[in-house]
Amino acid sequence: PANDPFNLRNITRWQPLLETNNLGSYYAQAPSTPQAAFSQPWAFSRTDVTTKYLVPPAWPASLNATGLARYKQDADQVMKAQTSLTDHQKMVAEHFDDKPSAFGAVTYAAYAQERTWNLTTGLAYALNAAVMYDAMIVSWYNKYVHDAVRPVSVIRYIYAKRNVTGYRGPGMAVGRLPGHKWSSYLRTQPDGTGY
């Protein structure tokens, strides 16, 4: 990576974060299974993956006064969205953050209706698996093509020496905290770049 967990040298590029297992051990995030970006999708061609990628973020490439103002504007927007989350929005976000449970619900719904594995249930399961697999390929490809900085890195960089209002941790209300300790409501995924 262009950055390490301790220094954001290039504000436009991905920065691995420092993680903990909450047992006293710390480690730097590292991409896992980056080869997934080069897998063959089921529903479309490999060429579709590499030629029809997402539009790159429109972030400034430098930290001149205009560029820094744009980063700050985006950071403020993210922090405002976080502090205004309702309990319902948090619950929905947590549900869909648990990918196996959230997306496995399609298969379970088909099973629950019939209470047996039949052709419909099997097809629902296979379709769910294929869609998830293809989405993973496209996501990984775009993560590595863009190598984009994540909001958490930008916020910690811009507000490193100031207090901000944000999520303070599980079971705690939104409140003031040092900018360099700001974190997203959901854990920032360790296994790839942000987009």
Side-chain angles (χ1 to χ4, degrees), residues 12-75:
T12 67
R13 305 281 298 277
W14 180 70
Q15 178 188 31
L17 301 177
L18 200 57
E19 292 269 315
T20 180
N21 64 1
N22 294 321
L23 298 172
S25 294
Y26 291 85
Y27 58 93
Q29 294 177 335
S32 64
T33 64
Q35 69 276 14
F38 304 100
S39 301
Q40 179 61 46
W42 292 27
F44 44 86
S45 74
R46 183 76 209 142
T47 304
D48 288 335
V49 174
T50 59
T51 59
K52 297 176 182 172
Y53 54 85
L54 300 173
V55 175
W59 289 319
S62 72
L63 282 183
N64 60 23
T66 304
L68 192 57
R70 173 64 195 280
Y71 274 105
K72 185 180 178 308
Q73 178 184 5
D74 288 349

Side-chain angles (χ1 to χ4, degrees), residues 115-154:
R115 295 283 184 220
T116 183
W117 281 96
N118 59 23
L119 182 60
T120 302
T121 308
L123 289 173
Y125 179 80
L127 181 60
N128 185 46
V131 167
M132 292 293 294
Y133 181 76
D134 285 359
M136 180 253 330
I137 293 169
V138 173
S139 296
W140 275 109
Y141 182 79
N142 278 280
K143 285 181 179 192
Y144 286 101
V145 164
H146 299 302
D147 190 29
V149 67
R150 296 181 285 194
V152 64
S153 296
V154 172

Side-chain angles (χ1 to χ4, degrees), residues 93-195:
E94 289 171 15
H95 172 74
F96 283 102
D97 191 46
D98 181 3
K99 279 112 181 126
S101 293
F103 297 107
V106 172
T107 303
Y108 178 75
Y111 169 76
Q113 186 174 9
E114 299 292 329
R115 295 283 184 220
T116 183
W117 281 96
N118 59 23
L119 182 60
T120 302
T121 308
L123 289 173
Y125 179 80
L127 181 60
N128 185 46
V131 167
M132 292 293 294
Y133 181 76
D134 285 359
M136 180 253 330
I137 293 169
V138 173
S139 296
W140 275 109
Y141 182 79
N142 278 280
K143 285 181 179 192
Y144 286 101
V145 164
H146 299 302
D147 190 29
V149 67
R150 296 181 285 194
V152 64
S153 296
V154 172
I155 291 167
R156 288 178 179 177
Y157 179 84
I158 291 175
Y159 291 103
K161 297 179 180 171
R162 297 182 4 205
N163 285 335
V164 297
T165 301
Y167 173 66
R168 295 183 300 158
M172 299 177 73
V174 166
R176 300 294 287 170
L177 69 154
H180 69 276
K181 291 187 175 183
W182 187 91
S183 65
S184 58
Y185 178 71
L186 298 176
R187 178 175 170 249
T188 302
Q189 293 300 312
D191 51 9
T193 61
Y195 182 70

